[in-house]
Amino acid sequence: MEDSELRARRARSFGERAAQYAEHRPDYPADAVRWALEPVRDREVVRVLDLAAGTGRLTEVLLGEPVSVIAVEPDAAMRAQLLGRLAGVAALAGTAEDIPLPDERVDAVLVGQAFHWFDPELALPEIARVLKPGGVLAALWNTDDDRVPWVAGLAGITGTGVRYTDRRHDRGETLPDNGYFGPFEQTTFGHTHRRTAASLTETIATHSVTLLKDERQRAATLAEVRAYLDAQPETANGEFDLPLVTIAARTRKL
Ligand SMILES: C[S@@+](CC[C@H](N)C(=O)[O-])C[C@H]1O[C@@H](n2cnc3c(N)ncnc32)[C@H](O)[C@@H]1O
């Protein structure tokens, strides 16, 4: 399979397990969301677009802030989860490359765990179009903190792309240079996800790398994950905190 075709399939894979996604993916630290919104915090009304909102894991955190939130998500099953869980949020069908909003509509566009699925050539001008002057674009990624040995061992089994030490994240290449936005700033926030061996296995089942495996391979990987977690002193007995690092990048529309 060609790289671009594989990427497109992974980007579209999440709806297959939308309910599990909503239940088993982590949320985001409120501090990371506040840092993302800081450049527009003093505006009288702060309108935020949660782009690629999925089942609303980031939307939920935004609802705890003094902002008005609108969600855009292409996958109908993911959107249905969001609408079922977060009453009163407007969730529109759309993509980063074709956002169903008028020009200069929002003060901030936030993207949780999804910027890497966008086509930046099309998405960056489109995001700039819907932002007000000086508006902020921020992307957040929850990554597994694989500086912790048992987490590194787990990542070796799953082949997941959400490792903290992933080159892409470590070298500050999270958002590309372009003519629409100023320089990107990047920082990190410590975070955790309360899990058990069973529920962390469910989380891993919602990763696109796992979703794209055929049924037999997927079952084998998940069985290996479960056996690994059952054998580690840190994860074998009841609840534990999966250590995460939330990487945050922000920039302002020029
Ligand atoms: C890993 S999920 C993240 C969902 C949510 N933001 C969160 O933090 O849980 C990635 C989401 O990006 C969406 N997506 C994929 N390609 C997209 C695109 N080109 N434009 C907008 N959303 C896209 C998928 O449908 C999926 O809901």
Side-chain angles (χ1 to χ4, degrees):
M1 198 185 302
E2 264 182 47
D3 270 8
S4 59
E5 194 191 329
L6 179 63
R7 243 174 64 81
R9 283 189 57 205
R10 285 181 64 186
R12 286 194 303 265
S13 67
F14 300 100
E16 191 189 313
R17 288 209 167 216
Q20 289 91 335
Y21 191 105
E23 194 179 339
H24 292 291
R25 282 293 190 109
D27 65 1
Y28 296 86
D31 281 354
V33 166
R34 286 181 197 136
W35 179 84
L37 294 174
E38 193 267 329
V40 293
R41 172 180 67 191
D42 292 335
R43 294 187 179 189
E44 205 169 320
V45 177
V46 179
R47 287 207 178 86
V48 181
L49 166 62
D50 181 359
L51 184 57
T55 62
R57 299 304 278 142
L58 176 59
T59 325
E60 271 172 75
V61 185
L62 283 165
L63 290 174
E65 298 300 313
V67 299
S68 106
V69 186
I70 186 163
V72 166
E73 162 59 39
D75 187 285
M78 298 293 268
R79 239 177 18 252
Q81 287 291 326
L82 187 154
L83 288 166
R85 284 162 192 264
L86 304 175
V89 174
L92 309 176
T95 65
E97 296 79 12
D98 188 9
I99 301 172
L101 291 181
D103 295 358
E104 300 193 0
R105 184 52 181 258
V106 295
D107 301 280
V109 173
L110 262 62
V111 182
Q113 213 79 13
F115 192 87
H116 52 286
W117 299 126
F118 300 168
D119 174 347
E121 299 264 307
L122 298 175
L124 287 168
E126 184 63 352
I127 291 169
R129 180 185 69 73
V130 302
L131 274 172
K132 293 181 188 165
V136 69
L137 162 64
L140 307 178
W141 286 270
N142 279 323
T143 63
D144 293 347
D145 190 352
D146 59 344
R147 295 168 299 180
V148 176
W150 76 260
V151 179
L154 181 65
I157 299 169
T158 61
T160 173
V162 294
R163 291 174 228 213
Y164 174 63
T165 59
D166 230 358
R167 216 175 55 132
R168 183 187 55 182
H169 299 307
D170 246 11
R171 287 176 38 202
E173 292 169 351
T174 50
L175 296 172
D177 283 338
N178 64 89
Y180 300 92
F181 294 91
F184 288 99
E185 299 170 74
Q186 188 175 313
T187 190
T188 57
F189 297 84
H191 195 35
T192 55
H193 192 195
R194 195 80 180 145
R195 298 281 78 192
T196 61
S199 65
L200 182 50
T201 307
E202 290 283 354
T203 302
I204 289 161
T206 69
H207 290 167
S208 62
V209 167
T210 316
L211 288 167
L212 249 62
K213 291 180 191 255
D214 68 37
E215 221 172 296
R216 196 181 51 79
Q217 284 176 322
R218 187 179 348 187
T221 302
L222 295 176
E224 199 182 338
V225 163
R226 184 59 198 268
Y228 175 82
L229 294 172
D230 284 342
Q232 306 307 307
E234 295 89 345
T235 56
N237 303 302
E239 289 194 325
F240 56 86
D241 283 328
L242 170 68
L244 300 175
V245 180
T246 304
I247 297 169
R250 74 179 180 196
T251 183
R252 296 188 80 166
K253 179 175 163 177
L254 288 172

